[in-house]
Amino acid sequence: MKTALITGANKSIGFETARQLLQNGYYVYLGSRDLHKGQEAAEQLRAEGLPHVEPLQIDVTDSASIAAARQALGQKTSVLDVLINNAGILGSMSQPPLGTSLSTIREVFDTNVFGVIEVTQAFIDLLRASAAPRIVNVTSGLGSLTLHNDPSWKYYPVKGAAYQPSKAALNAYTIMLAYELRDTPFKVNAVDPGYTATDFNHHSGPGSVHDAAARVVKAALLGPDGPTSQFFSDDNAPETGISPW
């Protein structure tokens, strides 16, 4: 049975991603900053007839928590097939470039960028043990620098000093990581789940959690001939599914 670790998976898109991977026959480690919430989420999935799930406490902004999670997972399995870096935060709703505090920007980057990097580095040895490892970095269509410079883009006015730059940085890290792993079986991609109705955006998005998670899962299930170093976004590029960087 293949294994997957999803950070920030006790609710919303992460939780639905766990459900869909379980339905595809994976054993899922459901990462949650709050262990109690992770346990509740795992129990809900088991109640749905999806038993191969267990919570893993991990706070992606805490090095000690990441190290403890790596140690705990290593006691359960010697192979990790899929890492989905899903945990992310928005920060304050208004983020003017000249008015957003450095503390807000650092807080968002700590989760959305540095957390992803540290988690990936911590679990890379378990991923290398897989015959077909996959890393999926959950990004946002708002991380596209090309589209942010296009006045005709539907989200052109949605500018911010913390969230959007953090996702652009995450996209850049995805490219660099994919390049380092280019001659290996790894597939490393960034996935925009779309503007989805979740607690993250006060349920303002038009998309469903099911469809958002399906986009993430699609990248996690890529076959050996699948692409790597891509920015998948049905929202930004409905015809091709590949967003401009």
Side-chain angles (χ1 to χ4, degrees):
M1 181 175 289
K2 287 190 173 183
T3 58
L5 168 61
I6 310 168
T7 63
N10 60 277
K11 65 177 183 177
S12 300
I13 295 173
F15 179 74
E16 178 61 25
T17 299
R19 177 187 280 125
Q20 292 185 25
L21 280 177
L22 288 164
Q23 292 169 344
N24 276 278
Y26 279 71
Y27 195 101
V28 174
Y29 295 98
L30 193 152
S32 177
R33 183 172 56 183
D34 184 318
L35 182 58
H36 178 67
K37 291 180 179 178
Q39 290 170 335
E40 289 182 337
E43 288 169 4
Q44 180 178 336
L45 291 168
R46 293 188 195 110
E48 295 175 11
L50 301 168
H52 299 123
V53 58
E54 60 181 287
L56 182 73
Q57 185 171 22
I58 182 168
D59 179 345
V60 303
T61 66
D62 185 328
S63 295
S65 175
I66 293 170
R70 168 61 187 83
Q71 182 177 14
L73 190 62
Q75 294 171 349
K76 300 173 185 296
T77 181
S78 60
V79 179
L80 182 63
D81 296 288
V82 174
L83 171 62
I84 298 178
N85 288 304
N86 169 73
I89 63 171
L90 178 62
S92 60
M93 290 298 290
S94 178
Q95 298 176 359
L98 295 178
T100 303
S101 68
L102 282 179
S103 62
T104 294
I105 296 172
R106 287 190 177 110
E107 180 184 20
V108 173
F109 268 70
D110 276 346
T111 297
N112 296 358
V113 184
F114 304 131
V116 170
I117 295 171
E118 189 165 6
V119 168
T120 301
Q121 291 178 348
F123 289 90
I124 194 67
D125 60 329
L126 295 181
L127 287 160
R128 288 186 188 277
S130 170
R134 304 290 179 260
I135 298 175
V136 182
N137 293 331
V138 179
T139 186
S140 167
L142 296 175
S144 171
L145 296 179
T146 298
L147 293 176
H148 266 299
N149 207 35
D150 179 358
S152 69
W153 184 41
K154 61 183 176 180
Y155 299 126
Y156 179 73
V158 186
K159 300 288 194 282
Y163 181 74
Q164 289 88 334
S166 77
K167 291 302 186 180
L170 175 61
N171 290 351
Y173 178 70
T174 302
I175 293 172
M176 306 309 158
L177 180 62
Y179 180 80
E180 181 174 352
L181 298 170
R182 66 195 180 281
D183 295 324
T184 74
F186 275 84
K187 305 293 182 185
V188 182
N189 292 290
V191 176
D192 166 26
Y195 190 12
T196 305
T198 66
D199 292 345
F200 192 85
N201 55 37
H202 306 290
H203 294 268
S204 62
S208 72
V209 169
H210 179 274
D211 290 346
R215 296 182 180 105
V216 177
V217 170
K218 182 179 179 180
L221 299 183
L222 284 173
D225 296 327
T228 191
S229 192
Q230 294 293 335
F231 178 6
F232 296 115
S233 176
D234 292 339
D235 195 3
N236 283 350
E239 293 184 359
T240 65
I242 305 295
S243 174
W245 293 102

